[in-house]
Coordinates of all heavy atoms in Angstrom, one line a residue:
M1 N 105.0 56.7 98.5 CA 106.4 56.2 98.2 C 106.8 55.5 99.5 O 106.8 56.1 100.6 CB 107.3 57.3 97.8 CG 108.7 57.0 97.5 SD 109.6 58.2 96.5 CE 109.7 59.6 97.5
N2 N 107.2 54.3 99.4 CA 107.8 53.6 100.6 C 109.2 53.1 100.3 O 109.6 53.0 99.2 CB 106.8 52.5 101.2 CG 106.7 51.3 100.3 OD1 107.7 50.8 99.7 ND2 105.5 50.8 100.1
F3 N 109.9 52.7 101.4 CA 111.3 52.3 101.3 C 111.5 51.2 100.3 O 112.4 51.3 99.4 CB 111.8 52.0 102.6 CG 113.2 51.4 102.6 CD1 114.3 52.3 102.3 CD2 113.5 50.1 102.8 CE1 115.6 51.8 102.2 CE2 114.8 49.6 102.7 CZ 115.8 50.4 102.4
D4 N 110.6 50.2 100.3 CA 110.8 49.0 99.4 C 110.7 49.4 98.0 O 111.3 48.8 97.1 CB 109.8 47.9 99.8 CG 110.2 47.2 101.1 OD1 111.4 47.2 101.5 OD2 109.3 46.8 101.8
E5 N 109.9 50.4 97.7 CA 109.7 50.8 96.3 C 110.9 51.6 95.7 O 111.2 51.6 94.6 CB 108.5 51.8 96.2 CG 107.2 51.1 96.4 CD 106.0 52.2 96.5 OE1 106.3 53.4 96.5 OE2 104.9 51.7 96.5
I6 N 111.7 52.2 96.6 CA 112.7 53.1 96.2 C 114.1 52.7 96.7 O 115.1 53.4 96.4 CB 112.5 54.6 96.5 CG1 112.4 54.8 98.0 CG2 111.2 55.1 95.8 CD1 112.5 56.2 98.5
K7 N 114.2 51.6 97.4 CA 115.5 51.3 98.1 C 116.7 51.2 97.1 O 117.8 51.5 97.4 CB 115.4 50.1 98.9 CG 115.1 48.8 98.2 CD 114.9 47.6 99.1 CE 114.6 46.4 98.3 NZ 114.4 45.3 99.2
D8 N 116.4 50.8 95.9 CA 117.5 50.6 94.9 C 117.6 51.7 93.9 O 118.4 51.7 93.0 CB 117.3 49.3 94.2 CG 117.4 48.1 95.1 OD1 118.3 48.1 96.0 OD2 116.7 47.1 94.9
V9 N 116.8 52.7 94.1 CA 116.8 53.9 93.2 C 118.0 54.8 93.5 O 118.4 54.9 94.7 CB 115.5 54.7 93.3 CG1 115.5 56.0 92.6 CG2 114.3 53.9 92.9
K10 N 118.6 55.4 92.5 CA 119.7 56.3 92.7 C 119.2 57.7 92.3 O 119.3 58.2 91.2 CB 120.9 55.9 91.8 CG 121.5 54.6 92.1 CD 122.6 54.2 91.2 CE 123.1 52.8 91.5 NZ 124.2 52.4 90.6
P11 N 118.7 58.4 93.4 CA 118.2 59.8 93.1 C 119.3 60.8 92.7 O 120.4 60.6 93.1 CB 117.6 60.2 94.4 CG 118.1 59.3 95.4 CD 118.6 58.1 94.8
V12 N 118.9 61.7 91.8 CA 119.8 62.7 91.3 C 119.3 64.1 91.7 O 118.1 64.4 91.5 CB 119.9 62.7 89.8 CG1 120.9 63.8 89.3 CG2 120.3 61.3 89.3
R13 N 120.2 64.9 92.4 CA 119.7 66.3 92.8 C 119.6 67.2 91.6 O 120.4 67.1 90.6 CB 120.7 66.8 93.8 CG 122.1 67.1 93.4 CD 123.0 67.6 94.5 NE 124.4 67.6 94.1 CZ 125.2 66.6 94.3 NH1 124.8 65.5 95.0 NH2 126.4 66.7 93.9
N14 N 118.7 68.1 91.7 CA 118.5 69.2 90.7 C 118.7 70.5 91.4 O 118.4 70.7 92.5 CB 117.1 69.1 90.1 CG 116.8 67.8 89.5 OD1 117.6 67.2 88.7 ND2 115.6 67.2 89.8
G15 N 119.1 71.5 90.6 CA 119.3 72.8 91.1 C 120.7 73.0 91.7 O 121.6 72.2 91.6
E16 N 120.9 74.2 92.2 CA 122.2 74.6 92.7 C 122.1 75.4 94.0 O 121.1 76.1 94.2 CB 123.0 75.4 91.7 CG 122.4 76.7 91.3 CD 123.2 77.5 90.3 OE1 124.4 77.6 90.5 OE2 122.5 78.0 89.4
V17 N 123.0 75.2 94.9 CA 123.0 75.9 96.2 C 123.4 77.4 95.9 O 124.5 77.6 95.2 CB 124.0 75.3 97.2 CG1 124.0 76.1 98.5 CG2 123.6 73.9 97.5
I18 N 122.7 78.3 96.3 CA 123.1 79.7 96.1 C 123.5 80.4 97.3 O 124.2 81.4 97.3 CB 122.0 80.5 95.3 CG1 120.7 80.5 95.9 CG2 121.9 80.0 93.8 CD1 119.7 81.4 95.3
D19 N 123.0 79.9 98.5 CA 123.4 80.7 99.7 C 122.8 79.9 100.9 O 122.0 79.0 100.8 CB 122.8 82.1 99.7 CG 123.6 83.1 100.5 OD1 124.5 82.7 101.2 OD2 123.3 84.3 100.3
K20 N 123.1 80.5 102.1 CA 122.4 80.1 103.3 C 121.3 81.1 103.6 O 121.5 82.3 103.1 CB 123.3 80.0 104.5 CG 124.2 78.7 104.4 CD 125.0 78.5 105.7 CE 124.4 77.4 106.5 NZ 125.2 77.1 107.7
S21 N 120.3 80.8 104.3 CA 119.2 81.8 104.6 C 119.8 82.8 105.5 O 120.9 82.7 106.1 CB 118.1 81.1 105.2 OG 118.4 80.4 106.4
E22 N 119.0 83.9 105.7 CA 119.5 85.0 106.5 C 119.8 84.6 107.9 O 120.7 85.2 108.5 CB 118.4 86.1 106.5 CG 118.4 86.9 105.1 CD 117.3 88.0 105.1 OE1 116.9 88.4 106.2 OE2 117.0 88.4 104.0
D23 N 119.0 83.7 108.4 CA 119.3 83.2 109.8 C 120.5 82.3 109.9 O 120.9 81.9 110.9 CB 118.0 82.6 110.5 CG 117.5 81.4 109.7 OD1 118.3 80.8 108.9 OD2 116.4 80.9 110.0
G24 N 121.0 81.9 108.7 CA 122.2 81.0 108.6 C 121.9 79.6 109.0 O 122.8 78.8 109.0
E25 N 120.6 79.2 109.1 CA 120.3 77.8 109.5 C 119.9 77.0 108.3 O 120.2 75.8 108.2 CB 119.2 77.8 110.6 CG 119.7 78.3 111.9 CD 118.6 78.2 113.0 OE1 117.7 77.4 112.8 OE2 118.8 78.9 114.0
N26 N 119.2 77.6 107.4 CA 118.7 76.8 106.2 C 119.5 77.1 105.0 O 120.3 78.0 105.0 CB 117.2 77.1 106.0 CG 116.3 76.6 107.1 OD1 116.6 75.6 107.7 ND2 115.3 77.4 107.4
Y27 N 119.3 76.3 104.0 CA 120.0 76.5 102.7 C 119.1 76.9 101.6 O 117.9 76.5 101.6 CB 120.7 75.2 102.3 CG 121.8 74.8 103.3 CD1 121.5 74.1 104.5 CD2 123.1 75.1 103.0 CE1 122.5 73.8 105.4 CE2 124.2 74.7 103.9 CZ 123.8 74.1 105.1 OH 124.8 73.8 106.0
I28 N 119.6 77.6 100.7 CA 118.7 78.1 99.6 C 119.2 77.4 98.3 O 120.4 77.5 97.9 CB 118.8 79.6 99.4 CG1 118.3 80.3 100.7 CG2 118.0 80.1 98.2 CD1 118.4 81.8 100.8
I29 N 118.3 76.7 97.6 CA 118.6 76.0 96.4 C 117.8 76.6 95.3 O 116.6 76.8 95.4 CB 118.2 74.5 96.6 CG1 119.0 73.9 97.7 CG2 118.5 73.7 95.3 CD1 118.6 72.5 98.1
K30 N 118.4 76.9 94.2 CA 117.8 77.5 93.0 C 117.6 76.5 91.9 O 118.6 75.8 91.5 CB 118.7 78.6 92.6 CG 118.1 79.3 91.3 CD 119.1 80.4 90.9 CE 118.7 81.1 89.6 NZ 119.7 82.1 89.2
L31 N 116.4 76.3 91.5 CA 116.1 75.4 90.4 C 116.1 76.2 89.1 O 116.5 75.8 88.1 CB 114.7 74.7 90.6 CG 114.7 73.4 91.3 CD1 113.3 72.9 91.4 CD2 115.6 72.4 90.7
S32 N 115.5 77.4 89.1 CA 115.4 78.3 88.0 C 115.2 79.7 88.5 O 115.1 79.9 89.7 CB 114.2 77.9 87.1 OG 113.0 78.0 87.8
E33 N 115.1 80.6 87.6 CA 114.9 82.0 88.1 C 113.7 82.2 89.0 O 113.7 83.0 89.9 CB 114.8 83.0 86.8 CG 116.1 83.1 86.1 CD 117.2 83.6 87.0 OE1 117.0 84.5 87.8 OE2 118.4 83.1 86.8
D34 N 112.6 81.5 88.7 CA 111.4 81.6 89.5 C 111.1 80.5 90.5 O 110.1 80.4 91.1 CB 110.2 81.9 88.6 CG 110.0 80.7 87.6 OD1 110.9 79.9 87.4 OD2 108.9 80.6 87.1
K35 N 112.1 79.6 90.6 CA 111.9 78.5 91.6 C 113.1 78.4 92.5 O 114.1 77.9 92.1 CB 111.7 77.2 90.8 CG 110.3 77.0 90.2 CD 110.1 75.6 89.9 CE 108.6 75.4 89.3 NZ 108.3 74.1 89.0
I36 N 112.9 79.0 93.7 CA 114.0 79.0 94.7 C 113.4 78.4 95.9 O 112.3 78.8 96.4 CB 114.5 80.4 94.8 CG1 115.2 80.9 93.5 CG2 115.5 80.5 96.0 CD1 115.6 82.3 93.5
Y37 N 114.1 77.5 96.6 CA 113.6 76.9 97.8 C 114.6 77.1 98.9 O 115.8 77.0 98.8 CB 113.4 75.3 97.5 CG 112.4 75.0 96.5 CD1 112.7 74.9 95.2 CD2 111.1 74.9 96.9 CE1 111.8 74.5 94.2 CE2 110.1 74.5 96.0 CZ 110.4 74.4 94.6 OH 109.5 74.1 93.7
E38 N 114.0 77.2 100.1 CA 114.8 77.2 101.3 C 114.5 75.9 102.0 O 113.4 75.5 102.3 CB 114.3 78.4 102.2 CG 115.1 78.6 103.5 CD 114.7 79.8 104.3 OE1 114.3 80.8 103.7 OE2 114.9 79.7 105.5
V39 N 115.6 75.2 102.3 CA 115.5 73.8 102.9 C 116.2 73.7 104.2 O 117.3 74.4 104.4 CB 116.0 72.7 101.9 CG1 115.1 72.7 100.6 CG2 117.4 72.9 101.6
A40 N 115.7 72.9 105.1 CA 116.3 72.7 106.4 C 117.7 71.9 106.2 O 117.9 71.2 105.2 CB 115.4 71.9 107.3
P41 N 118.5 72.0 107.2 CA 119.8 71.3 107.1 C 119.7 69.8 106.7 O 120.5 69.3 105.9 CB 120.5 71.5 108.4 CG 119.9 72.9 108.9 CD 118.5 72.8 108.4
I42 N 118.8 69.1 107.4 CA 118.7 67.7 107.1 C 118.3 67.4 105.6 O 118.8 66.6 104.9 CB 117.8 66.9 108.1 CG1 117.8 65.4 107.8 CG2 116.4 67.4 108.0 CD1 119.2 64.7 107.9
A43 N 117.4 68.2 105.1 CA 116.9 68.1 103.7 C 118.1 68.4 102.8 O 118.3 67.8 101.8 CB 115.7 69.0 103.4
F44 N 118.9 69.5 103.1 CA 120.0 69.8 102.3 C 121.0 68.7 102.3 O 121.6 68.3 101.2 CB 120.7 71.1 102.8 CG 121.9 71.4 102.1 CD1 121.9 72.0 100.8 CD2 123.2 71.2 102.7 CE1 123.1 72.3 100.1 CE2 124.3 71.5 102.0 CZ 124.3 72.0 100.7
Y45 N 121.3 68.1 103.5 CA 122.2 67.0 103.6 C 121.8 65.8 102.7 O 122.6 65.3 102.0 CB 122.3 66.6 105.0 CG 123.4 65.6 105.3 CD1 124.7 65.9 105.3 CD2 123.1 64.3 105.7 CE1 125.7 65.0 105.5 CE2 124.0 63.4 106.0 CZ 125.4 63.7 105.9 OH 126.4 62.8 106.2
V46 N 120.5 65.5 102.8 CA 120.0 64.4 101.9 C 120.1 64.7 100.5 O 120.5 64.0 99.6 CB 118.6 64.0 102.4 CG1 118.0 63.0 101.4 CG2 118.5 63.5 103.8
W47 N 119.7 66.0 100.1 CA 119.7 66.4 98.7 C 121.1 66.4 98.2 O 121.3 65.9 97.1 CB 119.2 67.9 98.7 CG 119.3 68.6 97.4 CD1 118.5 68.5 96.3 CD2 120.4 69.4 96.9 NE1 118.9 69.2 95.3 CE2 120.1 69.8 95.6 CE3 121.5 69.9 97.5 CZ2 120.9 70.7 94.9 CZ3 122.3 70.8 96.8 CH2 122.0 71.2 95.5
N48 N 122.1 66.8 99.0 CA 123.5 66.8 98.6 C 124.0 65.4 98.3 O 124.9 65.2 97.5 CB 124.3 67.5 99.6 CG 125.6 68.1 99.0 OD1 125.6 68.6 97.9 ND2 126.6 68.0 99.8
M49 N 123.5 64.4 99.0 CA 123.9 63.0 98.8 C 123.3 62.4 97.6 O 123.7 61.3 97.2 CB 123.5 62.2 100.1 CG 124.3 62.6 101.3 SD 123.9 61.6 102.7 CE 124.9 60.1 102.4
C50 N 122.3 63.0 97.0 CA 121.6 62.5 95.8 C 122.5 62.8 94.5 O 122.2 63.7 93.8 CB 120.2 63.0 95.7 SG 119.1 62.5 97.0
D51 N 123.5 62.0 94.4 CA 124.5 62.2 93.3 C 124.3 61.3 92.1 O 125.1 61.3 91.1 CB 125.9 62.1 93.8 CG 126.2 60.7 94.4 OD1 125.3 59.8 94.3 OD2 127.3 60.5 95.0
G52 N 123.2 60.5 92.1 CA 123.0 59.6 91.0 C 123.9 58.3 91.1 O 123.8 57.4 90.2
E53 N 124.7 58.2 92.1 CA 125.6 57.1 92.3 C 125.1 56.2 93.4 O 125.2 55.0 93.4 CB 127.1 57.6 92.6 CG 127.7 58.4 91.5 CD 128.0 57.6 90.2 OE1 128.4 56.5 90.3 OE2 127.7 58.2 89.1
K54 N 124.7 56.9 94.5 CA 124.2 56.1 95.7 C 122.8 55.8 95.6 O 122.0 56.6 95.1 CB 124.4 57.0 96.9 CG 125.8 57.4 97.3 CD 125.8 58.2 98.6 CE 127.2 58.8 98.8 NZ 127.4 60.0 98.1
T55 N 122.4 54.6 96.0 CA 121.0 54.2 96.1 C 120.4 54.8 97.4 O 121.2 55.2 98.3 CB 120.9 52.6 96.2 OG1 121.5 52.2 97.4 CG2 121.5 52.0 95.0
V56 N 119.1 54.7 97.5 CA 118.5 55.2 98.7 C 118.9 54.4 99.9 O 119.2 55.0 101.0 CB 116.9 55.1 98.5 CG1 116.2 55.4 99.8 CG2 116.4 56.1 97.5
S57 N 119.1 53.1 99.7 CA 119.6 52.3 100.8 C 121.0 52.7 101.3 O 121.3 52.8 102.5 CB 119.7 50.8 100.4 OG 118.5 50.3 100.1
Q58 N 121.9 53.1 100.3 CA 123.2 53.5 100.7 C 123.2 54.9 101.4 O 124.0 55.1 102.3 CB 124.1 53.6 99.4 CG 124.4 52.2 98.9 CD 125.0 52.3 97.5 OE1 124.7 53.1 96.7 NE2 126.0 51.4 97.2
I59 N 122.3 55.7 101.0 CA 122.2 57.1 101.6 C 121.8 56.9 103.0 O 122.3 57.5 104.0 CB 121.2 57.9 100.8 CG1 121.8 58.4 99.5 CG2 120.8 59.2 101.6 CD1 120.8 59.0 98.5
I60 N 120.8 56.0 103.3 CA 120.3 55.8 104.6 C 121.4 55.2 105.5 O 121.6 55.6 106.6 CB 119.0 54.9 104.6 CG1 117.8 55.7 104.0 CG2 118.7 54.4 106.0 CD1 116.6 55.0 103.7
E61 N 122.1 54.2 104.9 CA 123.2 53.6 105.7 C 124.3 54.6 106.1 O 124.8 54.6 107.2 CB 123.8 52.4 104.9 CG 123.0 51.2 104.9 CD 122.7 50.7 106.3 OE1 123.6 50.6 107.2 OE2 121.5 50.4 106.6
E62 N 124.6 55.4 105.1 CA 125.7 56.4 105.4 C 125.3 57.4 106.5 O 126.0 57.7 107.4 CB 126.0 57.2 104.1 CG 127.3 57.9 104.1 CD 127.7 58.4 102.7 OE1 127.7 57.6 101.7 OE2 128.1 59.6 102.6
I63 N 124.0 57.9 106.4 CA 123.5 58.8 107.4 C 123.4 58.1 108.7 O 123.8 58.7 109.8 CB 122.1 59.4 107.0 CG1 122.3 60.3 105.8 CG2 121.5 60.2 108.2 CD1 121.0 60.8 105.1
S64 N 123.0 56.9 108.7 CA 122.9 56.1 109.9 C 124.3 56.0 110.6 O 124.4 56.2 111.9 CB 122.4 54.7 109.6 OG 122.6 53.8 110.7
K65 N 125.3 55.7 109.9 CA 126.7 55.6 110.4 C 127.2 56.9 111.0 O 127.7 57.0 112.0 CB 127.7 55.0 109.4 CG 127.5 53.6 109.1 CD 128.5 53.1 108.1 CE 128.1 51.6 107.7 NZ 128.7 51.3 106.4
E66 N 127.0 58.0 110.2 CA 127.5 59.3 110.6 C 126.8 59.8 111.8 O 127.4 60.5 112.6 CB 127.4 60.3 109.4 CG 128.4 60.0 108.3 CD 128.3 61.0 107.2 OE1 127.8 62.1 107.4 OE2 128.7 60.7 106.1
A67 N 125.5 59.5 111.9 CA 124.7 60.0 113.0 C 124.7 59.1 114.2 O 124.2 59.4 115.3 CB 123.2 60.3 112.6
N68 N 125.2 57.9 114.0 CA 125.3 56.8 115.0 C 123.8 56.5 115.5 O 123.6 56.4 116.7 CB 126.2 57.2 116.2 CG 126.6 56.0 117.0 OD1 126.6 54.9 116.5 ND2 127.0 56.3 118.2
I69 N 122.9 56.3 114.5 CA 121.6 56.0 114.8 C 121.2 54.8 113.9 O 121.7 54.6 112.8 CB 120.6 57.2 114.4 CG1 120.9 58.4 115.2 CG2 119.1 56.8 114.6 CD1 120.2 59.6 114.7
E70 N 120.5 53.8 114.5 CA 120.0 52.7 113.7 C 119.3 53.1 112.4 O 118.5 53.9 112.4 CB 119.1 51.8 114.6 CG 119.8 51.1 115.7 CD 120.7 50.0 115.3 OE1 120.4 49.3 114.3 OE2 121.8 49.9 115.9
S71 N 119.7 52.4 111.3 CA 119.1 52.8 110.0 C 117.6 52.6 110.1 O 116.8 53.3 109.4 CB 119.7 52.0 108.9 OG 119.6 50.6 109.1
S72 N 117.1 51.6 110.9 CA 115.6 51.4 110.9 C 114.9 52.6 111.6 O 113.7 52.8 111.3 CB 115.3 50.1 111.7 OG 115.9 50.2 113.1
Q73 N 115.6 53.3 112.4 CA 115.0 54.5 113.0 C 114.9 55.7 112.1 O 114.1 56.6 112.3 CB 115.8 54.9 114.3 CG 115.7 53.9 115.4 CD 116.5 54.4 116.6 OE1 117.6 54.7 116.5 NE2 115.8 54.4 117.8
I74 N 115.8 55.8 111.1 CA 115.8 57.0 110.3 C 115.3 56.7 108.9 O 115.1 57.6 108.1 CB 117.3 57.6 110.1 CG1 118.2 56.6 109.5 CG2 117.7 58.1 111.5 CD1 119.5 57.2 109.0
R75 N 115.0 55.4 108.6 CA 114.6 55.1 107.2 C 113.3 55.9 106.8 O 113.3 56.5 105.8 CB 114.3 53.6 107.1 CG 113.9 53.2 105.7 CD 113.8 51.7 105.5 NE 113.4 50.9 106.7 CZ 114.1 49.9 107.2 NH1 115.1 49.4 106.5 NH2 113.7 49.3 108.2
D76 N 112.3 55.8 107.6 CA 111.0 56.5 107.2 C 111.2 58.0 107.2 O 110.7 58.6 106.2 CB 109.9 56.1 108.2 CG 109.4 54.7 108.0 OD1 109.7 54.1 106.9 OD2 108.8 54.1 108.9
P77 N 111.9 58.6 108.1 CA 112.1 60.1 108.0 C 112.9 60.5 106.8 O 112.5 61.5 106.1 CB 112.8 60.5 109.3 CG 112.5 59.4 110.3 CD 112.3 58.2 109.5
I78 N 113.9 59.7 106.4 CA 114.7 60.0 105.2 C 113.8 59.8 103.9 O 113.9 60.6 103.0 CB 115.9 59.1 105.1 CG1 116.9 59.4 106.3 CG2 116.7 59.3 103.8 CD1 117.4 60.8 106.5
V79 N 113.0 58.8 103.9 CA 112.1 58.5 102.8 C 111.1 59.7 102.6 O 110.9 60.2 101.5 CB 111.3 57.2 102.9 CG1 110.2 57.1 101.9 CG2 112.3 56.0 102.7
T80 N 110.6 60.2 103.8 CA 109.8 61.4 103.7 C 110.5 62.6 103.2 O 109.9 63.4 102.4 CB 109.2 61.7 105.2 OG1 108.5 60.6 105.6 CG2 108.3 62.9 105.2
V81 N 111.7 62.8 103.6 CA 112.5 64.0 103.1 C 112.7 63.8 101.5 O 112.5 64.7 100.8 CB 113.9 64.1 103.8 CG1 114.8 65.0 103.0 CG2 113.7 64.5 105.2
L82 N 113.0 62.6 101.1 CA 113.2 62.3 99.7 C 111.9 62.6 98.9 O 111.9 63.2 97.8 CB 113.6 60.9 99.4 CG 115.1 60.6 99.8 CD1 115.3 59.1 99.9 CD2 116.1 61.2 98.9
E83 N 110.8 62.2 99.5 CA 109.5 62.5 98.9 C 109.2 64.0 98.7 O 108.8 64.4 97.7 CB 108.4 61.8 99.8 CG 107.2 61.4 99.1 CD 106.3 60.5 100.1 OE1 106.3 60.8 101.3 OE2 105.7 59.6 99.6
Q84 N 109.5 64.7 99.8 CA 109.3 66.2 99.7 C 110.3 66.8 98.7 O 109.9 67.7 98.0 CB 109.5 66.8 101.1 CG 108.4 66.4 102.1 CD 108.7 66.7 103.5 OE1 109.9 67.0 103.9 NE2 107.7 66.7 104.4
L85 N 111.5 66.4 98.6 CA 112.4 66.9 97.6 C 112.0 66.6 96.2 O 112.1 67.4 95.3 CB 113.8 66.3 97.9 CG 114.6 66.8 99.1 CD1 115.8 65.9 99.4 CD2 114.9 68.3 99.0
K86 N 111.4 65.4 96.0 CA 110.9 65.0 94.7 C 109.7 65.9 94.3 O 109.6 66.3 93.2 CB 110.5 63.5 94.7 CG 110.0 63.0 93.4 CD 109.7 61.6 93.4 CE 109.2 61.0 92.1 NZ 107.9 61.5 91.7
E87 N 108.8 66.1 95.3 CA 107.6 66.9 95.0 C 108.0 68.3 94.6 O 107.3 69.0 93.8 CB 106.7 67.0 96.2 CG 105.9 65.7 96.4 CD 105.2 65.6 97.8 OE1 104.9 66.7 98.4 OE2 104.8 64.5 98.2
A88 N 109.1 68.8 95.2 CA 109.6 70.2 94.8 C 110.5 70.2 93.6 O 111.0 71.2 93.2 CB 110.4 70.7 96.0
S89 N 110.6 69.0 93.0 CA 111.5 68.8 91.8 C 113.0 69.1 92.1 O 113.8 69.4 91.2 CB 111.1 69.7 90.6 OG 109.8 69.4 90.3
L90 N 113.4 69.0 93.4 CA 114.8 69.2 93.8 C 115.6 67.9 93.6 O 116.8 67.9 93.6 CB 114.9 69.6 95.2 CG 114.4 71.1 95.4 CD1 114.3 71.4 96.9 CD2 115.3 72.1 94.7
I91 N 114.9 66.7 93.4 CA 115.6 65.5 93.0 C 114.7 64.8 92.0 O 113.5 65.0 91.9 CB 115.8 64.5 94.2 CG1 114.5 64.1 94.8 CG2 116.8 65.1 95.2 CD1 114.7 62.9 95.8
S92 N 115.4 64.0 91.2 CA 114.8 63.1 90.2 C 115.0 61.7 90.7 O 116.1 61.3 91.0 CB 115.4 63.3 88.8 OG 115.3 64.6 88.4
I93 N 113.9 60.9 90.7 CA 113.9 59.5 91.1 C 113.6 58.7 89.9 O 112.6 59.0 89.2 CB 113.0 59.3 92.3 CG1 113.5 60.0 93.5 CG2 112.9 57.8 92.6 CD1 112.8 59.8 94.8

């Protein structure tokens, strides 16, 4: 999956946040009774932005502005996070 293929896609998050991990650093997202994932803060942040309204381009731009980092520098890492979230069924693309 590369940016050009998904830039106009509006990903939708699946599952619900049930808690923070014991160390308080990661987030726990429950998809079903037997599918529970612990995700890093950046993955949680990206997952949370997948509301079905924002495109991948808009998500990257928003994170770029908030983090004060050029969008070109974060595009590939954010696409990688989206790919991992999709593989875990935590988002639908």
Side-chain angles (χ1 to χ4, degrees):
M1 181 160 64
N2 68 44
F3 175 71
D4 288 330
E5 292 172 348
I6 63 166
K7 65 183 180 184
D8 297 322
V9 171
K10 295 178 180 178
V12 179
R13 66 183 168 265
N14 300 316
E16 61 180 318
V17 178
I18 56 171
D19 210 348
K20 284 188 107 175
S21 61
E22 289 181 18
D23 61 13
E25 291 184 18
N26 294 327
Y27 293 83
I28 298 172
I29 301 171
K30 177 181 174 181
L31 271 181
S32 64
E33 289 304 319
D34 59 343
K35 286 196 175 182
I36 297 173
Y37 295 92
E38 185 174 326
V39 298
I42 185 63
F44 174 77
Y45 187 69
V46 173
W47 174 82
N48 205 38
M49 293 180 80
C50 294
D51 58 6
E53 301 290 319
K54 295 180 191 83
T55 65
V56 171
S57 294
Q58 291 169 322
I59 289 169
I60 290 169
E61 283 304 313
E62 200 170 308
I63 293 171
S64 167
K65 286 180 188 159
E66 288 182 23
N68 201 22
I69 299 171
E70 289 293 320
S71 60
S72 60
Q73 291 181 308
I74 63 166
R75 183 174 29 230
D76 290 343
I78 298 298
V79 168
T80 299
V81 169
L82 288 167
E83 208 167 38
Q84 292 168 345
L85 289 170
K86 181 180 181 290
E87 285 172 17
S89 300
L90 290 172
I91 62 170
S92 302
I93 292 184

